[in-house]
Each structure stands twice: as structure tokens, then as C-alpha cells.
Amino acid sequence: MTEATWYAPRNSMTKPRIASGPRSFMRLPVVEEPLTASGPVDIAVVGVPTDSAVSYRSGARFGPEAIRSASILLRDHNPATGVNITTDLSMVDAGDAPVVPGYHDLTLQRLQQHLEPLYRAGIVPLILGGDHSLVMAEMRALAAVHGKISVVHFDAHGDVLDDYYGVKHFHGTMFRRAVEEGVVDPARSIQLGMRGSVHPDDVDAGVALGYEVIPWPELDTLAPQEVGRRIRARVGDSPVLVSFDIDFIDPAYAPGTGTPEVGGPSTYRTVQYLRALGPLNYVGLDIVEVAPPYDHGDITSHAAAVVAFELLGQVAVSR
Amino acid sequence: MTEATWYAPRNSMTKPRIASGPRSFMRLPVVEEPLTASGPVDIAVVGVPTDSAVSYRSGARFGPEAIRSASILLRDHNPATGVNITTDLSMVDAGDAPVVPGYHDLTLQRLQQHLEPLYRAGIVPLILGGDHSLVMAEMRALAAVHGKISVVHFDAHGDVLDDYYGVKHFHGTMFRRAVEEGVVDPARSIQLGMRGSVHPDDVDAGVALGYEVIPWPELDTLAPQEVGRRIRARVGDSPVLVSFDIDFIDPAYAPGTGTPEVGGPSTYRTVQYLRALGPLNYVGLDIVEVAPPYDHGDITSHAAAVVAFELLGQVAVSR
Amino acid sequence: MTEATWYAPRNSMTKPRIASGPRSFMRLPVVEEPLTASGPVDIAVVGVPTDSAVSYRSGARFGPEAIRSASILLRDHNPATGVNITTDLSMVDAGDAPVVPGYHDLTLQRLQQHLEPLYRAGIVPLILGGDHSLVMAEMRALAAVHGKISVVHFDAHGDVLDDYYGVKHFHGTMFRRAVEEGVVDPARSIQLGMRGSVHPDDVDAGVALGYEVIPWPELDTLAPQEVGRRIRARVGDSPVLVSFDIDFIDPAYAPGTGTPEVGGPSTYRTVQYLRALGPLNYVGLDIVEVAPPYDHGDITSHAAAVVAFELLGQVAVSR
Amino acid sequence: MTEATWYAPRNSMTKPRIASGPRSFMRLPVVEEPLTASGPVDIAVVGVPTDSAVSYRSGARFGPEAIRSASILLRDHNPATGVNITTDLSMVDAGDAPVVPGYHDLTLQRLQQHLEPLYRAGIVPLILGGDHSLVMAEMRALAAVHGKISVVHFDAHGDVLDDYYGVKHFHGTMFRRAVEEGVVDPARSIQLGMRGSVHPDDVDAGVALGYEVIPWPELDTLAPQEVGRRIRARVGDSPVLVSFDIDFIDPAYAPGTGTPEVGGPSTYRTVQYLRALGPLNYVGLDIVEVAPPYDHGDITSHAAAVVAFELLGQVAVSR
Amino acid sequence: MTEATWYAPRNSMTKPRIASGPRSFMRLPVVEEPLTASGPVDIAVVGVPTDSAVSYRSGARFGPEAIRSASILLRDHNPATGVNITTDLSMVDAGDAPVVPGYHDLTLQRLQQHLEPLYRAGIVPLILGGDHSLVMAEMRALAAVHGKISVVHFDAHGDVLDDYYGVKHFHGTMFRRAVEEGVVDPARSIQLGMRGSVHPDDVDAGVALGYEVIPWPELDTLAPQEVGRRIRARVGDSPVLVSFDIDFIDPAYAPGTGTPEVGGPSTYRTVQYLRALGPLNYVGLDIVEVAPPYDHGDITSHAAAVVAFELLGQVAVSR
Amino acid sequence: MTEATWYAPRNSMTKPRIASGPRSFMRLPVVEEPLTASGPVDIAVVGVPTDSAVSYRSGARFGPEAIRSASILLRDHNPATGVNITTDLSMVDAGDAPVVPGYHDLTLQRLQQHLEPLYRAGIVPLILGGDHSLVMAEMRALAAVHGKISVVHFDAHGDVLDDYYGVKHFHGTMFRRAVEEGVVDPARSIQLGMRGSVHPDDVDAGVALGYEVIPWPELDTLAPQEVGRRIRARVGDSPVLVSFDIDFIDPAYAPGTGTPEVGGPSTYRTVQYLRALGPLNYVGLDIVEVAPPYDHGDITSHAAAVVAFELLGQVAVSR
């Protein structure tokens, strides 16, 4: 790897996409060696194949594989936004992070160590989960480099519970822990899309922690551009992580997930929100909770791949 | 079972939901003995595993099992309505009713006998179907206790055919039979969501029988609150059965059903209609036509569980 | 077959639909002999089981079988439009056209020969694909009979690429080839629904060829009646082919397809567009890219059957 | 249809099998008109799409469709036996028999009326079920024409229960009823393959009724030729029905069935038994309990199609 | 619960099995209260819904639910062995044990505490996994009561690795740990069925630890009775745990598992081994690694239910 | 890439297999650059994602992806043979070959050009299909380097038809074409496993062409070691291609294939045949016709991965 290299997807016009060999994200080159030079790599796609710490359906450990597989269909240009991410961003697939099934705390430690050098090098990792509990390591690593970060959190669930059967870390507590640990600034963070039945302890918990929360019944009434304005007003120029739980989208569109919550937005509405994000100081991206064993026709993986594509487009226009 | 017992779901915070043992509805206690005291039991969940009398796909006999399985994810509180059904209603899972596969008339007889004592005791059974033909027994038992009842009928099909290959009872004739038998008062009843191609005999048949009918193309243009007002105006304070055929919802959201009818409402729109029902004199509830062999990722079962949850919330606010 | 025969579906009231024997489209009589008399046959359903020339997922070769299977649920009358197609149109299932797997050019030749006599006889074939590349033969055969035709093209993709790994004919180039060969008049044709990421060569290519193009983000903002007006204004009284790629519809509603493109319209919105088409000089119809191995609960096939039903209704009202 | 017609499958060498149009069994001509002349038709394939009277999984109503679909892969010649059934037997697909979902007794009546003329005409119907309860009509119709018949019954279950939840006819009682009604001669009949757990009333019930019974643990130890000898010794020259429940085969090979019983023979072993049957006075054939919703990769349907193929080969060598 | 109660399955002759309500194992009564009296309860079925500590596919947390669901098909009597377990053994379904997803060590602690009282009361728990790592808690609890136990271990894998990515407890190390911790006596234990590719450290590791090991290529050559003799000779009268990993069976018969190993025995061969076990001093039973998301047609769950049924039969004949 | 590199799988003990990043075969390094030095590379895995030229089910184009995915479970050592392929053979994953969907002749040309340099460099490509028609290019390229080759052909079908709907090249004609073109020496080649119904032209066609043919009914009666002897006797020391069509194995074990043929061998029996091959002059290997859309639980892909593993073991012992 030399400074001069520009990393872009394999050409799909000489061999069909189906002949792209081992499935890397968007047919990008796989570069797993230390990516610590701040130069040519803008985006490093990192798989985090975890699902230990989930309360309902497991399976998200195969999320990275499935999203990579679906992503070979992504072409370079986005006609709706006019962005070509492959010319604007130098991107690699950096393989998978280390995980330790059954040992969530150990997973968080190893994952944080794996990610921190990337953030330090100015690279934006696009994390493909894996269950949402991984975001704890992501936020800790980000805070170690950037200080308190903002979070834009798309999800059907607030993930602000205090504990569950006596443990403090699982896929429903991270955004409470993050405030407690001081790695996230809730006053510059926002949660969108919460819906469905909740535990009584969970009512208004996000707001109590200091987050702005737009639950789905309210979000449904807002135009995407208005949503974009509220997000930008909240986040300002702080370093921001966009954390996207695929269960934000209605299970009709994204059935392959661990904790499906019926009654949410369509994929197109979701894409409109993402396009409305606009320029921000993006430092982290994740797409989590894709659980392929519950998917069909790979539609969840394709939805996740498109969410990634739109998020990358927003990073591109922010540079 | 003593008078003092309050029936509520098993605590999910000490053992995870996945460790809730045999799947009862919402992790409720299973109480199959005679529930004839009007005291502590408000809601009795009753599975009716039938699918003999269906014209297209069978499979709904496993509907009760699948809805129970999905329902373990339901938590107690509904942030959108502010209702906690588990503190407002004492609820049990009363197991399954007797059915006789291949002998529809016999099934109706045994089912009616099974249900009547519950209605007489002032309990509202939440029936988990099973195909929609079971509603005949439900309506007969209700009428035996309450006299002519009202029906609020959500469905893609009116189920008002006269006969089919020479028989009078199958899952497409019940709401005609109910008028003929005098168990339902069509003048205080309403059908919502009808769509798709129909047999020529079926055109305007519901209206001719005296029902108010809001087919889907009209329903689509109405705000949920307006729908709620029309339903309440129609039903008034009469004893009312809400009969919910899962094929009311578009098959993208509820594929696991016997007679899928593409081109209907989303689950969220459906939930909005249910939340707009408001206080009524609810005496019966059913959710029918969930056919698990055609489901995927259990999304239909989860949709059905949420429909049940919202209906129970409306019962709670009516007390 | 005599001149006096009127071809209509088998009666479903004496034997249930599930007992309709070998699955012909809508339980129509199967008539494969030459249908060259212009008299009693208005519509001939023709299966074209191809999927050789696809760039991503194969499987559409079983599309005709799956759509036929789902279509047995279609009843005669459309309450939303007031049309009964079975009394307005004499229809047969004409079996499958010859195809040559692995030899796309040969397939196009044999298919064109198979179709031309039907067009010449004034019959409107309803083609059940098969992948979209078959439309090349359809357009050539139509032009041989009618001269340059118009096309109303519903699709997530414009299919106006120039070539792909060195070949000129596959399922992404037909509507460019059609203009080059002079079989389609782009000035009287329209493409609707394009969305998703594209190859840079593909940006604005449809417009450059002379088509009117309404991509999905624009289409989403238009009322169906307005869409109908724009189509009718564009097409006028020219002979028109309606070519419907099932991936026009969002994969939540139509997952069983070869190149799923998330973020599109619902089936109901689609049906509204089709109902708004209105009277046109319909000479050809196709529904393509249904790939059953990726479907679930047959919802894609049911969506395709309903699209066919609505299109036939528009033909009926145009007579 | 003239006397001179020889009915044989559509040629698969000019159009591929996938282009065989509506799926008839083995691509045979569909002839539903009365087939009462004893002349040119040897075999009439009859679908019986029932599943009302089953105790566990429904779904067999789509068995005829699925077996027909798989059967298009069957070629004419059997190298293992040297038989070409299409030149030895004139065969048609006679469509589906009438059934009445939810009304088992009515189904039996209509089915018996439908079948009797075929037996009377000397045609051997190959019945594609449908659940096994249909065999009651088959045996009654056969006995009406031939007097008491013999049965060679391949099945994991003896189906000799007395009643079930108070009814006498469902898919577990037929071979007791048949003896009681005198339509079957148990002394010339044989049951093979019984295994798995049973109700205490069911122990040795077949033997008590007079059948020869070879349960699977014994059958497993016998060479196919020996099995053939025992069957022929038992049946002699009496008119014989071969009734084949697909759950005879282990669910690994035939998962798509209503009452799977693990721990049975492979498909190849099954084929060896069928090839060992040898010349008998075959008057009836059925293959039942294929339940496509529980199949995958259509392997059960393909197994059923091959069972049919081998049985037809035995009929051919018996003429 | 009184001393006099005999626990047996719900009667399936008055209501069909499909109407058995919430799915307990074999339709047994659910009794979760402390079962510490040694009196009337012989067998307590305990679900252990874990899958945290697996190296490949997760999903086994839904194993208990799936096996319970399939087990409703089990009838009381085993014709092959002449045993009726429901009259010989008083059995309850004791619900699920507590587990802590993502915290394997904590899961083991809680599980051990949950099980120990059962062993102390002389009850034989039939554990439904869950992944195999749970056996560590089972063996520790057994040893706390009985001292060093014997193990009869059916599995495709020896599970005798030393560590994996630095941790000592996951689903591939238990039978090494058990020897190190002194809870198992390898000299009276036996492993059967090992096959497939292995890590170099794993070669002959079981034998080095002191186990008798019969890998599949050898086992395949042994008659079931001979296998039974070798097991009995090894185990003698020591207290024995039979630990059955469903991947012992070939994935054609049991696809729904976490680490499928192709090339193993059929279910019938497996059943023959189990029937050959004979009288032993059974103190523990488990069936693990059923992962329903990878199953189809529930055949793996049905295989697991039958394995349980046969093991219970062996317990019955040992009393 | 330097001469000194030894290519071996990624270590699975530091990161779990599920964290192996983009799925290359057996977690091998991906090296797509020209591999023409005869030095360090013994085996190059090449995906050939074709399915254009198939007569029944398509889908094999995703075979390479699925086999790679399953192969991450393969460990290094084979206890049954004592071979560790990763220390005996230097292996890379060389990505996918170019293919042209819909243009079979073009695919064959490009594939032959892609493969020939590998053979010339003394590398043995392990081809992952794709449909079997690709073997034509493989045999032509092999013959260009080695002259006439031998073939050991495992398959349910002989693939020796003359033509099909007028074309000479599809997945049923290759082993006839190979003899006609003189690229294969039938006198030193052998076909094993043929079964099922055949077209009359196909009877004894393989033998007439000069092949030794052991159809399945005969093969079933032979001990694996005897099969190995016959193969070695036939092939001698000639350069040999082992061409393995996954449909050789019974569809219960390998349902995910294009032309399933029920009634064949188990996977274990298959593995025994492969282990009996013994030292030969292996120059080519392929595993074809894995069609993932028809697979379930990935069992077909796992079977294919193990077939590959066993074949590579035979190559290792031949060096």
C-alpha cells in the first residue's frame, strides 16, 4: 500500500457483479493491515460479528457477511443526491474486528482497541454489526480520540434501560451507559424512531438522560427536511456518530433483525431522512442488528447496504 | 386460584424473555380451569386452532402458537397511549378451545359451548385464530349472552358470500349468516378495509345486508381520528365484538395468512386506526387468519401480537 | 375451437379454487394452437420462462409458473373500477413460448417468431416473464406489426445501458437498443419509477435517448391521477406496450425479483397508478422479473397477478 | 378426443421443460371430460386437494400442484427397470376432483362419485393427495366396482385408530373403517413401514384387524426382493390398491408432510421396494400427504413424483 | 401439588394435539415451583435457552421452544421397545432455567444453582438446550450431588479443545474442563460419533484425556447392540449423564444446528444406538444445539423430540 | 507476492471463524494476480458463477459465494485420513473467473482463457461452480496443456446428450462433446452415480461413447475400496480431472442444486468414495451445480465444502 493508492470498487463492467469473488463491501479492496496513515483512506468498513448480548433473537453475527454480499449490487453514483462516493471517498474493506462470543465485556475491550487507531488516523469506520451492544466500544474509542461525542441514533428502541437480569451491558442499555461514562454528550445528541411497547422503567428515560427524542408517532408527522434541520441544530459542529439500528425500519422492509418492532417507517422514508442529514462532522458510522437467519430474499441486507450508501454520501458532501 | 389473585405477565427482568418457558400469551399465567367468577379475570386469551373451512391456504391452526410465541416480546406499557394493560387488566392465558378438524359444524358447536361461560362471567376472551370461520361460534355465544351484538370488522374481505360449492359455512360467509341468524345487528356494525377482486355476487353485498362498509380505497383517504368517530357513531353503546382478520394489513406486513390481498394498509396505519377506536362496550375480541407456514421472520405473528396489545389497551381505557 | 367460443375462467363456486387442476392463468382454458383468427380471443397469456441474461439473481424462469399459481385467487370483478374483465374480454392461457437457456440471441429470435402472429391477429398477449431482456423480442415483434410503438415502462431501473462486459443484449440495455433499432418511439414513451444507485454512464441516459423519465423521488410527489394524465399526454393514441418490471414495487412488497431496489412504492400506490392509466391503444402487456426462489409466502406472485388484473381492466375499458 | 389418440407427455426436446406451460403431471395432456371409454386411456392422474381432516399440520391441499410441478422433470425411460411408461401406457392428467374444505363427509361423497366412473372404465387413477383421509372414498369407489380389494399400504402410521375427539373419519382411521365397511380384505392386504410412538389403543391394532403388518424395524432387516415376495404372496391376483403415504420415507428425504415421523427409510430404499413389487392386478394408486408449505427445495415433491413414476412402471410391467 | 399427583400428558383424544395450548414438552403439566420432594416427580424437563458461547451459528436459544413444539406429536407408547413412558415415569415441564446472554460464566453459575436442587431431590432433569456449553453447569451440579460422574457423549465433535481466542469456556472445551475440574471420570466415560475436519490441537485429544472415543468411521462399522455393550461396559453402575448434541446426526436429518458436520448417521441409526443403551444409573440427560432458525419443516426439532423420547424410555426401563 | 510465501488459512484461534472478514475459501488469502510461477501455489480456488445453460433450476451462479461461506468452518486436519492439507499444499483463493450471463459460448471462451495459464503453471485449480456446463472450458484448457485427459465424473446424470432444443452446449451434453472434440479419453475415464429417469436417447449413451459407467444401483452394491480400485485401474497415471456434480449426492443431503435426482447416496458414503480415490495424477478439480436459492441451513454448501476438503486431501497424498 502506497500513499498514492486510491481505493475504489472493482469494475463491474468487465466482469459481472456476481463474479466479484470473495464478497467485500461494495467490491472494495480488502486491506486489513494497520490503516494509520491519515492520507488516502477515508472510510474503512469494519465487520463486527457479535450477537452474544441480545435479549431476543440472535443471528446478527452474520450481519457483516450478509451486508457485504448485498452491497455488491451498489453502483457508484447516487442520482438523487448527485454524489459519487467512489470518487469522493477512498474506501477499503478492513475485514472483521475481533470478538469473543459469550464474553461481552471482553468483546468490548478488544473491539475498542481495534477501532481506536482508526479514529486516531482520521479514518471514519463504517461498522457493520453485529448487535447494537457493540456501540459501547465504538463510543468509548471515539471519546478517547475526540472527547465527548454527539450521537444521532436511529432505532425503534431507546436502549436506555438500566440493567437486565442483573447485568449492565447488553443491547438495551448502551445509551444510558454512554451518558454515565461521559463518552456521549446527550445535550448534543438525538434519538429518532422509538416505538412499540416498553418496560415501565423505560418511559421517558431517554429524555430524562438529556437526549432529544423524537418517537415515531411524532417523527411520522415531520417532513424529512424538518427532521434534518432538527438534527443539525442539535448536533452543531460536534464530532458525531450516526448509529443506525436496522429495526428503525418497519419489519416488512427489514424482517431480518433481532428485536422486530412492527409499525415503523418504510425504507424510502428512511432514505429521505438520511438524505436530509446534510453536512456534519461525521466521525463514526454504524449499521447494526441485521440478523440474516430471519431475513428473506436478502431484503434486510439490501436495505442495510443502501442505508450505508446514503450515509457515505452524507460523509462525502461534508468534506 | 383465589379471588385475590391478580394475573399479570411473568417478570422479564429477572430471566430474559427467551427464558419464559412454555409460550403463553404475553408470558401470562395459564389458567384453564373454569373461569366463571366475574371477579379477578378481565381477559382470557383463548386459542382456536382451526383451518378446516378455508378456501385457499390452510395453516391458521398454528396461529395461536405463533402469536403466543411472538407475544413474549410485548412489554407492559404503551407509550403512545399511556396505557399499561397489565396493571389495568387482570389477564390469563386460558389455553385452547376444542376443535374438530374436518368437521366445521361440530367445531362451531364445541367452540360455542366453550366460550359461552366466559361471556356469561363477564370475561372478555381474546380469541387467537384459527381461520375466520370460527367467528360464527363467537357471535352465537355472544348473542346468547348479550342479545344482538355490534361488530367492528377489520378485513380485506367482507365475508358476506351466500355459499361456496354448496355449503353455507366457511370462512367467506359468516357476516351474512350472522345477520340471517339475528346474532348481529348490522345497523350498528361496520366493516372496514375491503379490497381486491371479488365474485360478482359479492359486489355491495355487505351494504345490502345493512352493514356500513368502508372499503380500503375510501378508508385510505380518511384520517384515523375520523375513522374512530365513524366507528363510535355506528356502534354507540351496544355490546361490540372487534373481529380483526390479519389480512386487513397488506401482505408485505402480514404475509402469513390464508387469503392474501395485496394493496392494503401498513401496520402503522392499522395501529393508528386501533388507537382511534376509543371507549366502547367491548365484549369480544378476535385476531384471526394468521397462517404461520406462510410467514417469515415471524413478522405476521408480531403484527398480530401488537394488534392484540392495542385492542387490549382500548378495552383498558373503556373500563 | 369454434368462432362462437367465449373463453372465461373456470367456475370457482362449484369446486374451490384449490381444485382447479393444472394452474393456468386465472383458471382460464389452455389453448396453445395457433390463435390467429382475430375473432373471439382478446387476450392470450404467454409465459416466457427466461433468466439467462440477468446480471444479478436468476430464478425468473419460474415466474410464469408462480404467477399462474397465484392468479387462481383472482375473482372476476374489480369493485374499485367497476370492471369485470371476464365478461369484457375473451381470454385464454396460451402456454409458454420457446426459450433457449444460455443463448439469449436465439431466445429472442424464437420468441419474436412466436409472438408476431398473435399481434398480427389483433390479440393482446399478456406476457408473464421471465427476465426483462425478453422485451426486446416483444418490441421487435410489435414493431413488425404496428411500426414504431410507444412504451409505458414501470421499473426501478431505466435499462438504457450501452453494454455490459462486452455484450449488447442483457436485462439492462433493452430500452436503448429499442431506440437504436427504431422499434420504439421515445418521444411518445415514458419511464417511471427509476431509483437507487446507478453506474455513472447511466445518469440521465433515458432522457438523452428521448424518453420522458419520472424517477421515483419525483413520482412519489405526484397524485396518481396526475401521473395518468402525463402518461396519456405522452402516449396519445399510438400503439402502446405497457412493460411492468416487478422491481418497480418496493422489495418489501415484491421481494421475489432479480435486482431488488429498496426504497420504492407500495403495491397499493402502484395499483393506483395503474387504475389511472385510462383508455389507451394497448397492443402489448408484460410483467417481468418475478423470481420465485427469492419470494416468500408468494407475495410477489400475488402482487404480479394483481398488476396483471389491473392492466387487463385498463384494456377492457379501452375497448 | 378420438379413439385413436395416444396420450403422452409433451416433447421436452424442442422447448425446455421449464417452458411446458401450465404444469400438468409429467407434461401430459389435460383431459377432464368424461374418460369412460375403456380404450385409449390407461392412467388418469387425479388431484385431490384436501387437508381438512388432519390432526397435525395442514397444507396437503397444495400437494397435487407441487407434485405436478416437480413431475415435469420426469423423463420417459427408467434405466433401472428398462420400462418406458410413456410408450406402454396412455396417460392423461384429468385435473382435480371436487372437495369441500371443512366438510369431510361431503368431500368423501363427491370424491367417490368422481372416481367411480374411472374405475368402471378400467382406468387406473393415479391420485395425488391431499391428505390420506381421501383414501376412504377411493376404497369405497373401488369396492363398488371390484368388490373387496386388497391394499398395499406404505406409511409410517397404520391409520387404524377407532376415533379421534369423537369422530370416526379423519386421516388416522381409514384402514379400520375399510375393514368394518367391508371394502378391503385385510387377509389379502399388507401394511409396511409403521414406526414411531403410538397411542396405546394403536398397539397391534392393524394385526388385530387382520392385516399383515411389517413395521419399519422389521422391514429394515429385509431385502427388497424379499419384501416384494411377501407382498405378492399376500395379495395374489386380487385387485389391489397401492396407497403410498409420503411419510413412509424419512423426513430428511420428505420433510413436506403433515405428520413427520423421523427414523424411516431413505428414498432409494423406498424405490427399491417399489421396483420389487412386480406384476400385480393394480386397480388403484395414490400418493398422499405431501404438504408443500413444509417442503424445501421441493425435495418432497420430487420424491413423490419419482414414487409415482416407479408405481406407473410396475403397472406397465403388469399389463 | 400434592404427593398423590401423577404427572402425565394431556389427553390428546378429546382435543387434538394442535389444541394443546401453550406448548409444554409432550403436553405435560407445567410445574415450576420447587420440585424438591423426591416423591412423585421422576423427570423434570428444563429449557436452557442459551447460545452466547458458540463459535459459528447462534440460534440455539430457541431450541427449547422448538423441541417443546415438536414434542406435542409424541404419543405415549413405544412399540419398538414396549415401553410407555407416561405410565412408568411421572414427568413435568419445569419451564426454563435462568440464563444471561453475553455472560457465559454468569449463565453457568445461575444454571448450576437452578439444577442442583433437582439432582439433590432425585429428579432426572431432561435439559433442552441451548448450546452445548451449558453442560459445564450440568456436570458441576451433578458432581456436587453425586461426585464424579460418567458421561455418554453423542456428538460430531469431542469438545475437548483447550481454549479459543483466549477463553477457556465455550461450546468446544467442556469435556476437557470437566476432566480438569474433576467433575467427570473419563475412565468411565465414552464419546461417540466424532467426525469431520479438526484443529491440529484436537487430534486424539479426547483419548489423551482418558475418554474412550468411538469416532464415526469406526462407529459406522459397529452393530447397535455392540455399541450398547461397549457403553455399558465402560459406564458400569456409575451415575451417568447422557449428553446428546444433535449434530451427532447428519445435517440432512438435523440441519437446524450451530456447527453442522456433514457425513454422519441417520436418525434411525441413532435411534437404534439409543435403544441399545439399556439399563444404566441415569442421573442426567440433555439434548443440545438445536438451532431452529436453521431448521426447516421442524425436522430437527422432531428428531430431538424423538431422541428425548427414546432416552426417557431407557430411564424407564432402568427403574 | 514473493517466492517464499506459503499460503495458508487465517488463524481461527485468535479471532473466531465468524470474524474472518470477506469469505474466501477456507479463509485463504485472496490472490488474483497472475499465478503463473510454478513455485509456491499448489491450489488456486476459482469461482465460476454461471447458470445460464441449465435446463431446469437456475441459481448456481451463487454457488461459489455459498461454498466459500460454508468453507470457513473447515479446519486444517482430517483425522480420518491423517492429512493436513494446509501444511501439505500452498493454497490461495484466486477469486472468480469472467462469465457472460446469457452467452454460453462466450463464457466458455473467456473461462478457457482464464484457466489455461493456471494449468500451464502447474497449479491445480479447484473450480467452484456454477453449473456443470463450465466443465467444457475446463476440459478444453486442460487438453491444451496436457493433451487428452481422463475424467472421474461423479454425477446423477451422464451429461452425454447430443443436443437440446437445437443447441449443442448446455449442462447435459459436455461429456459427449468432450469425446467428439478429443479433449477427453473415454477409455481412461469413468462415470459414477447415474440414476433416475432418462430420455430414451440417453440410455447407455455413456458406454457407447467409450466411458466406463457405474450407475448408482450398481455403485450402491460396491465397497468404497473396490470403487477406488476400479477408478485407479481405469485412470492409471493419466492426467485426471475429478468433476463432481453435487447432485451425485441425494437431495436430502444436497437439496440446493439445479436438477435434483432423488434416490442417491448419502454424504458419508460419498466421502468414503472420495477417500478411496488414492494417489492419482490430479490436474483439475471441480465441484458444480450448488444452487443456493434451493438450499436450506446451507447443508448443500457444507457438503460441497467437505467434498472439496476430501478432494484436496487426495491431491495432498498424491504429491
Side-chain angles (χ1 to χ4, degrees), chain B residues 109-130:
Chain B
Q109 285 172 30
R110 295 191 188 174
L111 178 54
Q112 183 178 349
Q113 286 172 350
H114 187 84
L115 293 173
E116 223 178 284
L118 295 174
Y119 296 122
R120 222 169 274 288
I123 295 168
V124 178
L126 166 63
I127 290 180
L128 308 177

Side-chain angles (χ1 to χ4, degrees), chain B residues 57 164-165 196-198 261 296, chain C residues 12-14 75 77 79 296-297:
Chain B
R57 294 166 170 176
Y164 196 37
Y165 30 84
S197 59
V198 300
E261 207 63 67
H296 53 79
Chain C
S12 67
M13 300 303 274
T14 51
R75 303 106 186 157
H77 187 81
H296 53 81

Side-chain angles (χ1 to χ4, degrees), chain A residues 85-98:
Chain A
I85 54 170
T86 68
T87 53
D88 287 0
L89 299 171
S90 175
M91 306 189 290
V92 301
D93 188 319
D96 288 345

Side-chain angles (χ1 to χ4, degrees), chain A residues 3 10 35 37 55 61 66 87 96 133 143 145 155 163-164 173 176 180 183 191 207 244 249 278 300 302:
Chain A
E3 287 292 316
R10 173 194 296 272
L35 292 166
S55 55
R61 56 175 62 196
T87 53
D96 288 345
S133 67
V145 174
D155 201 331
D163 65 10
Y164 197 37
T173 55
R176 176 180 292 273
E180 293 170 354
V183 296
Q191 297 188 304
V207 170
F244 191 97
I249 307 176
T300 309
H302 280 285

Side-chain angles (χ1 to χ4, degrees), chain E residues 122-134:
Chain E
I123 295 167
V124 176
L126 167 63
I127 290 180
L128 308 177
D131 75 276
H132 213 160
S133 67
L134 66 87

